[in-house]
Amino acid sequence: MRLDYLSIFPAYFDVLDISLVGKAAINGLVEIHAHDLRDWTHDRHRTVDDTPCGGGAGMVMKPDPWGEAFDEIIGTESDPSVHVIFPAPSGTPFTQSAAAELSSAQRIVFCCGRYEGIDHRVIDYARSMWTVHEVSLGDYVLNGGEVAALAITEAVVRLVPGFMGNPESLAEESFSAGQDGLLEYPLFTRPVSWRGLDVPEVLMSGHHGRIASWRRDESVRLTRERRPDLTDSDSSGIH
Ligand SMILES: Nc1ccc2ncsc2c1
């Protein structure tokens, strides 16, 4: 999997060299390429923004640098196997199933906007050429798409076959199919008693059936408490 990042702050992605994603890069599972969008400007000030047509506050990212960057980084041929991701508060909520789908992609290009956003024709052009995802991480606003791109990267790359040492652990995580799309149950380890707080006795019983039942009940309880929106989804197994 090749991952490209287009941003006016490409140094955000240096962290990928030290994180687990960096390990995957060393193992050849993923290739990381960060690019400075200003490298595709031609004026002395390396301008990437301009005032919004129709008025309004703030600045909008000009289409020209993006188009030239696309030409050089992705090419000028249409290819639906290339996934282009625009993180944005107005995007479709990103989910574990979306991460799972993207984990089989061979190319993902992250377009990290700043200012008030990117000229919409950039997204329209990308849609005419590649598979585009406008993605939101939640109902809050960051200063740009870089942090969202890092979060999406981690969610996707950890699902790439061969990345996780023990892929079985993926099956028990929140939102995973193995969890029926429920939130993960509470976890405990030694010591059994800590500051007057004990590990639930059932987990020390060695009775696998009872343990499985307790864990399921806890997942259902947590999901109903914290994410009632998930309890009616087809994958949740609880209705
Ligand atoms: N371009 C941009 C700006 C803010 C923001 N917040 C969450 S994703 C995102 C993307």
Side-chain angles (χ1 to χ4, degrees), residues 87-89 112-115 117 135 140-145 148:
C112 302
R114 281 268 154 170
Y115 306 100
V135 171
Y140 52 85
V141 182
L142 302 170
N143 291 325

Side-chain angles (χ1 to χ4, degrees), residues 61 86-90 111-118 135-138 140-146 148-149:
M61 299 190 90
F86 293 87
S90 58
C111 300
C112 302
R114 281 268 154 170
Y115 306 100
E116 298 307 312
I118 303 170
V135 171
S136 162
L137 289 194
Y140 52 85
V141 182
L142 302 170
N143 291 325
E146 289 82 5

Side-chain angles (χ1 to χ4, degrees), residues 160-176:
V160 171
F163 177 78
M164 293 292 274
N166 173 19
E168 287 176 21
S169 63
L170 294 173
E172 296 181 355
E173 293 178 337
S174 291
F175 312 109
S176 66

Side-chain angles (χ1 to χ4, degrees), residues 25-206:
I26 293 165
N27 296 340
L29 277 178
V30 296
E31 272 180 61
I32 307 276
H33 300 270
H35 311 274
D36 185 345
L37 183 67
R38 294 187 194 277
D39 288 350
W40 287 277
T41 61
H42 307 290
D43 64 303
R44 190 156 58 91
H45 298 294
R46 308 185 81 201
T47 308
V48 292
D49 62 316
D50 201 342
T51 53
C53 294
M59 303 293 276
V60 174
M61 299 190 90
K62 294 159 55 74
D64 315 72
W66 290 96
E68 291 186 30
F70 286 162
D71 292 350
E72 186 171 332
I73 293 168
I74 312 176
T76 54
E77 298 296 318
S78 175
D79 181 352
S81 76
V82 177
H83 292 261
V84 181
I85 297 179
F86 293 87
S90 58
T92 304
F94 188 68
T95 62
Q96 188 67 13
S97 57
E101 283 175 33
L102 284 168
S103 67
S104 60
Q106 286 310 303
R107 276 209 78 177
I108 300 177
V109 181
F110 289 91
C111 300
C112 302
R114 281 268 154 170
Y115 306 100
E116 298 307 312
I118 303 170
D119 184 302
H120 200 76
R121 290 169 294 179
V122 173
I123 297 162
D124 288 342
Y125 172 77
R127 282 195 189 283
S128 75
M129 297 286 282
W130 307 296
T131 299
V132 168
H133 311 264
E134 293 181 73
V135 171
S136 162
L137 289 194
D139 296 339
Y140 52 85
V141 182
L142 302 170
N143 291 325
E146 289 82 5
V147 168
L150 285 168
I152 294 164
T153 297
E154 184 154 315
V156 170
V157 170
R158 65 195 300 275
L159 299 179
V160 171
F163 177 78
M164 293 292 274
N166 173 19
E168 287 176 21
S169 63
L170 294 173
E172 296 181 355
E173 293 178 337
S174 291
F175 312 109
S176 66
Q179 273 288 104
D180 282 341
L182 299 175
L183 300 184
E184 189 172 16
Y185 44 81
L187 299 172
F188 300 86
T189 185
R190 287 180 288 274
V192 172
S193 190
W194 176 73
R195 296 190 178 190
L197 301 168
D198 296 344
V199 171
E201 280 185 31
V202 65
L203 298 180
M204 307 308 293
S205 68

